[in-house]
């Protein structure tokens, strides 16, 4: 439950080694979140994230979680909820893939969809069933501006995020009145390990800036936030651009 100041007391992160997730968790612990569950595949990055949050004063548990293994989600994620109510669930896992390679390898392309969409649908439903039972809490879903309109340079990743984005919007609408908030976050290009070596897009941002947008959206009980906010207007223009014109763009 939130404390008397309205601060969230507990956090479950799906994709605990993600740099956006780590920034968000650090920011929340700095604002008095005291219990953090980090779910992710075992890795040095996940261990480092747990150690960092413990050093900041949080009680941290680590869950072995594989987004692609949907049959395990109920059992793995259910453990976090047996230890007390959770105020915020942050769904931060995802894979970018390699567009050129994935076009040649349909199995690799399907794995992008399996993790980014199928795994996210399963994990979201498992968690929101628990949140609904509590009667309060928020699910934060990291979508992407890439899902706003398919671009030939990353349409496999973009289509998986488009599916996730639409799913999360509908999920949020279905939970209206339940006490559960669903917040869809649409970052643009974020400087992380996943985008290392790629040419930054205009309005590129950082994990810390996305984390600040997440906290701002939660505080306003928003259903959607863009990071940075100006991307809302840029992507609206691109979305409505006639297709013959859109195809001429170098994107």
């Amino acid at each position: 439950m939130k404390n008397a100041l309205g601060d969230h007391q507990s956090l479950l992160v799906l994709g605990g080694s993600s740099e956006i997730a780590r920034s968000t968790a650090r920011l929340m612990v700095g604002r008095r979140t005291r219990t953090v569950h980090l779910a992710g595949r075992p890795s040095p990055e996940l261990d480092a994230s747990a150690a960092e949050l413990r050093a900041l004063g949080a009680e941290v548990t680590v869950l072995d979680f594989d987004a692609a293994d949907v049959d395990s989600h109920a059992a793995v994620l259910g453990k976090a909820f047996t230890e007390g109510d959770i105020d915020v669930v942050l769904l931060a896992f995802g894979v970018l893939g390699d567009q050129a390679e994935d076009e040649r390898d349909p199995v690799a392309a399907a794995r992008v969809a399996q993790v980014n969409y199928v795994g996210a649908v399963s994990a979201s439903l498992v968690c929101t069933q628990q949140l609904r039972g509590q009667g309060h809490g928020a699910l934060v879903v990291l979508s992407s501006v890439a899902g706003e309109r398919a671009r030939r340079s990353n349409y496999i990743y973009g289509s998986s995020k488009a599916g996730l984005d639409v799913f999360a919007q509908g999920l949020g609408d279905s939970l209206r009145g339940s006490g559960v908030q669903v917040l869809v976050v649409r970052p643009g290009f974020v400087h992380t390990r996943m985008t290392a070596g790629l040419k930054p897009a205009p309005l590129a941002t950082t994990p810390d800036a996305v984390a600040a947008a997440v906290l701002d959206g939660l505080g306003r009980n928003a259903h959607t936030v863009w990071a940075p906010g100006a991307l809302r207007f840029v992507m609206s223009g691109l979305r409505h651009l006639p297709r013959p014109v859109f195809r001429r763009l170098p994107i």
Side-chain angles (χ1 to χ4, degrees):
M1 296 288 287
K2 294 180 183 179
N3 64 15
L5 300 175
D7 301 310
H8 300 96
Q9 297 296 289
S10 53
L11 168 68
L12 167 60
V13 181
L14 313 185
S17 60
S18 146
E19 287 159 273
I20 294 175
R22 291 178 68 168
S23 290
T24 305
R26 279 198 304 270
L27 190 56
M28 291 185 66
V29 169
R31 296 186 184 183
R32 299 186 182 85
T33 295
R34 286 295 167 259
T35 303
V36 181
H37 305 274
L38 293 179
R41 288 184 297 178
S43 69
E45 290 80 12
L46 187 63
D47 293 338
S49 181
E52 180 182 42
L53 295 172
R54 288 184 182 117
L56 293 173
E59 264 186 46
V60 182
T61 59
V62 177
L63 302 170
D64 186 350
F65 170 73
D66 182 350
D69 184 9
V70 296
D71 289 336
S72 70
H73 287 181
V76 172
L77 300 176
K79 288 180 185 175
F81 287 90
T82 62
E83 297 179 13
D85 285 4
I86 291 177
D87 297 327
V88 178
V89 177
L90 172 60
L91 195 155
F93 62 77
V95 292
L96 182 60
D98 181 316
Q99 178 70 33
E101 180 63 29
D102 293 347
E103 287 181 359
R104 291 189 291 270
D105 183 353
V107 173
R111 175 166 172 74
V112 174
Q114 175 73 16
V115 172
N116 293 356
Y117 179 68
V118 178
V121 166
S122 167
S124 295
L125 290 173
V126 167
C127 291
T128 50
Q129 285 169 5
Q130 296 284 347
L131 296 177
R132 185 195 285 269
Q134 294 177 176
H136 71 92
L139 171 69
V140 179
V141 177
L142 288 187
S143 177
S144 169
V145 297
E148 190 69 359
R149 184 166 187 178
R151 292 183 287 130
R152 60 179 176 270
S153 60
N154 75 342
Y155 64 83
I156 295 174
Y157 171 80
S159 66
S160 69
K161 287 295 187 179
L164 172 61
D165 196 292
V166 171
F167 165 80
Q169 291 178 55
L171 178 62
D173 291 344
S174 75
L175 290 167
R176 186 170 182 265
S178 69
V180 179
Q181 173 192 8
V182 176
L183 173 62
V184 178
V185 182
R186 295 174 180 156
F189 187 101
V190 184
H191 291 285
T192 64
R193 292 188 303 272
M194 191 164 77
T195 60
L198 300 179
K199 182 182 178 182
L203 298 174
T205 188
T206 66
D208 286 347
V210 178
V214 169
L215 269 290
D216 176 68
L218 284 172
R220 293 187 289 106
N221 201 32
H223 55 70
T224 309
V225 295
W226 298 75
L231 279 173
R232 175 181 181 182
F233 306 102
V234 173
M235 296 310 298
S236 177
L238 282 177
R239 181 154 51 91
H240 292 95
L241 208 59
R243 200 165 180 186
V245 178
F246 187 78
R247 283 179 167 177
R248 295 195 197 104
L249 299 179
I251 56 178

